Amino acid sequence: MKTFNLQDMLAGILLLALGLFFAVYAVTHYPLGTIRNMQAGMFPVGIGGLLALLGLTILVGSVLRGAALPGLEWRALASVAASVAIFAATLNVLGLLCAVALCSLIASLANEGIRAKEALALAGCLAALCAAIFHFGLGLQIPLLPW
Amino acid sequence: MTLFESVVLGLATATQPINLLFCLIGGVVGMLVGVLPGIGTIAAISMLLPLTFYLEPATAMIMLAGIYYGSSYGGSTAAILLNIPGSPSSAVVCLDGYPMAQQGRAGIALFVSTVGSFFGGALGIILMMLFSPMIVQASLQFGAPEYFALLMLGLVAASSISDGSVVKSLAMVLLGIALGTVGLDLSTGTNRFSFGILELSDGFGLVGVAMGLFGIAEVISSVKDKPEALITDRNVTMASMIPTRQDIRDAAPAVARGAGVGAFFGMLPGVAGSVSSFVAYAIEKRVSRHPERFGHGAIEGVASPETANNAADQTSFIPTLTLGVPSGPTMALMIGALMMHGIAPGPNLITKEPALFWGLVMSFWIGNLMLVILNIPLIGLWVRLLTIPYRFLFPAIVVFACIGAYSVSNSTLDVWLMLAFGVLGYLIRLSEMRPAPLLLGFVLGPLLEEYFRRSLTLSRGNFLIFFERPISGTVMAITIVLLCWAGYSALRRRRAFAK
């Protein structure tokens, strides 16, 4: 029975897509020039093309080997990604202290072992620590509080 | 300048109080990063890169270099005491270091690894001092085709040596190069792939890319499987560290061999740090009269790899600083740091910025010395730190990464970019690929394109120029041989696997 190698498939699809994107976008938007006098588009087209080719190779090869995809860790991915996004979104709106605290809280969700009190305490400590190191210590130009 | 004059200049630079201070800071941070699993040197260096903007280039490099070789000192501590490799190059030290700790010989293992590390570092620095001017002299004959060939060798070597699928690593390099084309193309003035976002004209920021790929992605992957660590020996006293005469007799030749192996492998472009320690361990096992001792607490199994990886750390600076060809992703980051400070890496570096180069070299001596002296007293601190469960550490890593990304240009766009690269990095890990070649390709891509273009303009469109010129022809030949060898061994592995 032929089983698909999911990791290779993922790799192949990812690479093929990105390679095609670079190559096609470059061809349609930038002048290629000649080999003697390369313009902006030539290199991305070449690299993108090679990349797509490799992606295709891996994709085809993935049909031959069988392996299970390691579990996609949704919780970790979602919490860490969300925490970074929250930080980026709230930094200028709510200030450093809140952004750090929120970021830490949401990131803590990634691990099931953490308890609410610990997460809150950690968030508070980190906020204070960051204020001390970055705002007072290094003079980083980020407002601490919303006002 | 004679060697003596260079040394004096270097010492004058390295002993300036601010450079001493940042050498110390870098070394200690490096040790910390080496001890703690879940945060690597690339993530740490990229996190501290923005801070170096306020510093002189020499000071910045001294600190970043300190992080790099400091982590080798720290990684062994976690490996020996906890069987957890804090950094990849310390993984092999677990094999014999941890059994030694279980036998109550943790102190001796730590002592031997510290002293060996220093000897390895010393050899590496001496080689650096001797060879760098020579290499620079030889490179005067290098033109665009030669540099292109060297960079190709570095990128191909990075993909083919070390574990993992060669095809996937090559693809990572290509992806990195492609990502590097984003932004303003200096030769033609075209703004590539920036989709109208003004900030992207400079391309993706190195800090955001590195921190996303290595910091955020690492955290996402490792949140789940961090076991609660159990320390074997909480009471590592100073007295327990003194080795017996037999220990010294066993360890000394291992240190010598390890230093040689490390110094050699460190210089090769594209070879990652862990390769030297693995090879050193393998060699020790081969030459030993009692190979069955390995895996059960053989002191050579600790001494040699530790010496090797520190020697490799130092010699990996040689191609990076003399030719501008990085020997690994961390060195690529160093090159990136230099470029951010407005210094072009390459053979001109030594002649144009002698104070920077020799100051850096001399700081290696000072840094290694500082770390040797500090390593032993700080062990207690590291042990205590390692008892902190990972669930408290990783939010801190995420927060510091966010702040670090923001501080590059006070822009939240960099944080969003870091997020994007973090997700990409996680997908990369999920599909069994490695992000390190991507970083290499990303940093070197623009240079590669530049040299490629120039070579072809020089040869009026003739691709053979890379093979007709003797030096570049040789390098390209080596690259092709390496590719074929990698392809061949990959095919063999696939066939064996299929059976």
Side-chain angles (χ1 to χ4, degrees), chain A residues 64-147:
Chain A
L64 302 170
R65 279 195 292 170
L69 189 72
L72 183 70
E73 285 149 32
W74 288 110
R75 192 185 168 119
L77 180 62
S79 351
V80 175
S83 71
V84 177
I86 290 280
F87 183 88
T90 62
L91 185 62
N92 287 316
V93 176
L94 293 178
L96 182 64
L97 287 174
C98 295
V100 168
L102 280 171
C103 178
S104 166
L105 264 176
I106 296 179
S108 311
L109 289 172
N111 186 302
E112 289 135 5
I114 202 162
R115 290 174 294 211
K117 266 195 212 150
E118 291 175 332
L120 281 167
L122 181 63
C125 286
L126 270 178
L129 191 66
C130 288
I133 300 178
F134 294 103
H135 185 90
F136 296 111
L138 293 168
L140 217 58
Q141 299 297 337
I142 314 179
L144 279 184
L145 295 166
W147 48 87

Side-chain angles (χ1 to χ4, degrees), chain B residues 3-307:
Chain B
L3 185 63
F4 181 70
E5 288 166 358
S6 310
V7 168
V8 169
L9 174 65
L11 276 174
T13 314
T15 50
Q16 286 170 20
I18 192 167
N19 290 341
L20 285 174
L21 174 66
F22 277 95
C23 186
L24 182 64
I25 294 178
V28 172
V29 169
M31 278 215 280
L32 178 66
V33 164
V35 163
L36 292 174
I39 182 164
T41 46
I42 297 185
I45 292 178
S46 52
M47 246 188 259
L48 289 175
L49 249 181
L51 294 179
T52 66
F53 292 160
Y54 306 109
L55 302 170
E56 292 287 305
T59 317
M61 294 305 292
I62 289 177
M63 179 179 82
L64 296 175
I67 300 179
Y68 182 58
Y69 55 78
S71 70
S72 300
Y73 279 94
S76 39
T77 309
I80 293 171
L81 291 178
L82 295 175
N83 208 24
I84 296 176
S87 58
S89 46
S90 317
V92 76
V93 175
C94 295
L95 293 173
D96 276 274
Y98 189 62
M100 277 184 80
Q102 284 175 318
Q103 294 160 14
R105 308 216 302 152
I108 299 177
L110 290 164
F111 180 81
V112 161
S113 93
T114 307
V115 171
S117 298
F118 180 73
F119 275 114
L123 178 65
I125 303 173
I126 291 175
L127 285 174
M128 190 168 182
M129 290 165 66
L130 293 176
F131 280 152
S132 307
M134 282 200 284
I135 295 180
V136 170
Q137 272 294 101
S139 72
L140 288 176
Q141 304 188 24
F142 287 5
E146 278 74 30
Y147 283 112
F148 176 81
L150 273 172
L151 288 178
M152 282 289 283
L153 178 61
L155 291 172
V156 167
S159 317
S160 23
I161 311 182
S162 304
D163 48 323
S165 152
V166 176
V167 177
K168 284 179 173 176
S169 296
L170 281 172
M172 283 289 100
V173 169
L174 287 171
L175 181 57
I177 297 177
L179 289 167
T181 60
V182 172
L184 193 64
D185 175 25
L186 289 171
S187 316
T188 61
T190 326
N191 220 334
R192 296 190 286 200
F193 301 109
S194 55
F195 302 113
I197 304 176
L198 192 66
E199 287 87 345
L200 278 183
S201 304
D202 276 331
F204 295 123
L206 179 62
V207 174
V209 171
M211 281 211 278
L213 285 176
F214 289 90
I216 300 289
E218 189 63 42
V219 168
I220 298 179
S221 331
S222 30
V223 165
K224 270 261 172 126
D225 35 56
K226 285 278 174 283
E228 300 300 320
L230 287 166
I231 297 204
T232 48
D233 190 348
R234 283 213 175 178
N235 304 317
V236 181
T237 64
M238 292 285 247
S240 73
M241 288 192 191
I242 302 186
T244 66
R245 196 165 276 176
Q246 179 60 36
D247 287 333
I248 298 183
R249 255 209 300 265
D250 289 333
V255 165
R257 285 187 288 261
V261 170
F264 174 69
F265 278 97
M267 277 196 275
L268 299 181
V271 177
S274 39
V275 172
S276 358
S277 42
F278 275 101
V279 171
Y281 187 82
I283 292 182
E284 281 311 304
K285 218 168 162 186
R286 270 290 176 85
V287 307
S288 166
R289 263 176 242 150
H290 303 281
E292 65 281 354
R293 287 190 301 124
F294 283 80
H296 304 285
I299 198 169
E300 301 94 316
V302 171
S304 183
E306 271 303 303
T307 314

Side-chain angles (χ1 to χ4, degrees), chain B residues 363-377:
Chain B
S363 79
F364 291 162
W365 283 114
I366 299 178
N368 272 283
L369 256 165
M370 278 196 225
L371 290 176
V372 166
I373 298 174
L374 285 176
N375 195 17
I376 309 216

